[in-house]
Amino acid sequence: MNFSSFHCRTRWAALCGAALACASLLMAAPATAQTVAPDTQALSAIVERLVGAKVESIAPSPVAGLFEVIVKGNILYIDSTGTHLVDGQVLEVATRTSVTARRKQEHEIATTPVMDIAQLNLADAIKTVKGREMPGRVLVTFEDPRCGFCKRLHQTLSDVPDLVLYTFPVSFLGPQSRAMNEAIWCASDRSKAWNDVMRDIPPSLDGSKCDLHALDRNSELASKYRVAGTPTLFTAGGVRIDGAVGAPAIEQALNASVR
């Protein structure tokens, strides 16, 4: 063996050893990274400091490197290092749909309690009986006295026989609605006063005073069941109806509630 060939073999062995060492490091790096999970408690604390509200949940989002954070029913995103907070929509390119909107809807369905009429304080509602009182033929409604769709609903309900309505007045349309609700609530016959308003007859403002705390409780109740618009209806069985639907849809919901 001459010196030249020995030198070449020695150099080749050194290069191979170095290559193997680099490969080992590269293979080990991902495994090490996988073992270091982001501190979700620390990320939650960052979000809470920024928005001033408690984080309801935090979990990996469909986008790599981003965590989905739910705060007060809204969805935010934060990166795994806690450096960037994203307030906006994540869109799925293939379907052209909003992942954020879908997740928000799923969260609302999962966290909104089912209404149990037995748990309601019906003294905070205006009771109206149409025809006979029959088991299951009950509607709980959230309505604003200035809501045009609520007035349309009451026209529809005139075609629905044997029905008991428990109307929880809310003031979604501002101070004028609140003033009307106060006048209706302090009326000697609340049901008549409410039905007059639904026929565009203004309530009597005779200066009567009464306990108005029920109106405040109604706002809290609407928030609990995520009622954001009027009219919103619930059957005795907890079936929810949004909007001024027709009589056939109301009858169908009532019949489903009786079963």
Side-chain angles (χ1 to χ4, degrees):
M1 179 187 302
N2 58 35
F3 175 79
S4 177
S5 62
F6 175 79
H7 177 72
C8 287
R9 284 198 299 272
T10 302
R11 186 177 181 187
W12 175 252
L15 288 171
C16 286
L20 286 170
C22 289
S24 298
L25 287 172
L26 288 172
M27 291 174 68
T32 302
Q34 289 175 1
T35 60
V36 182
D39 186 344
T40 54
Q41 288 187 341
L43 294 177
S44 295
I46 292 170
V47 175
E48 289 175 356
R49 284 198 301 271
L50 284 172
V51 302
K54 187 169 182 58
V55 168
E56 296 175 45
S57 71
I58 181 168
S61 79
V63 181
L66 285 184
F67 280 77
E68 174 193 280
V69 188
I70 300 180
V71 183
K72 297 178 71 174
N74 296 311
I75 295 181
L76 306 172
Y77 301 94
I78 191 168
D79 73 315
S80 57
T81 65
T83 306
H84 297 93
L85 185 69
V86 181
D87 181 3
Q89 300 286 314
V90 169
L91 303 179
E92 192 176 75
V93 175
T95 61
R96 298 184 180 182
T97 59
S98 170
V99 174
T100 307
R102 184 174 69 239
R103 285 289 300 124
K104 183 174 181 179
Q105 183 181 46
E106 291 170 352
H107 175 74
E108 288 181 352
I109 292 172
T111 57
T112 300
V114 176
M115 177 171 284
D116 181 358
I117 194 170
Q119 301 298 319
L120 299 179
N121 182 3
L122 297 178
D124 287 348
I126 298 171
K127 182 179 179 180
T128 302
V129 181
K130 296 177 179 290
R132 297 170 297 167
E133 294 192 43
M134 300 179 64
R137 294 191 65 80
V138 176
L139 284 178
V140 171
T141 71
F142 290 86
E143 302 180 56
D144 186 299
R146 297 175 61 230
C147 164
F149 289 107
C150 298
K151 295 174 183 179
R152 182 187 301 178
L153 171 68
H154 279 262
Q155 291 176 355
T156 299
L157 291 176
S158 63
D159 297 326
V160 180
D162 303 326
L163 186 64
V164 176
L165 291 173
Y166 288 101
T167 302
F168 287 87
V170 291
S171 306
F172 286 176
L173 299 179
Q176 286 180 283
S177 294
R178 175 69 186 206
M180 293 178 73
N181 274 331
E182 290 181 0
I184 294 167
W185 195 252
C186 292
S188 58
D189 187 338
R190 292 170 182 165
S191 179
K192 180 181 183 303
W194 183 266
N195 283 287
D196 283 348
V197 167
M198 291 297 104
R199 298 198 307 271
D200 287 325
I201 301 172
S204 174
L205 301 176
D206 58 7
S208 298
K209 301 294 183 181
C210 64
D211 186 353
L212 299 171
H213 287 100
L215 299 179
D216 300 323
R217 290 192 294 269
N218 290 349
S219 296
E220 294 171 3
L221 189 66
S223 178
K224 175 181 177 179
Y225 290 105
R226 287 198 168 93
V227 174
T230 54
T232 299
L233 299 74
F234 294 87
T235 68
V239 177
R240 178 174 179 145
I241 307 169
D242 291 305
V245 299
I250 292 172
E251 280 290 357
Q252 184 179 6
L254 289 170
N255 291 334
S257 181
V258 173
R259 295 189 192 118

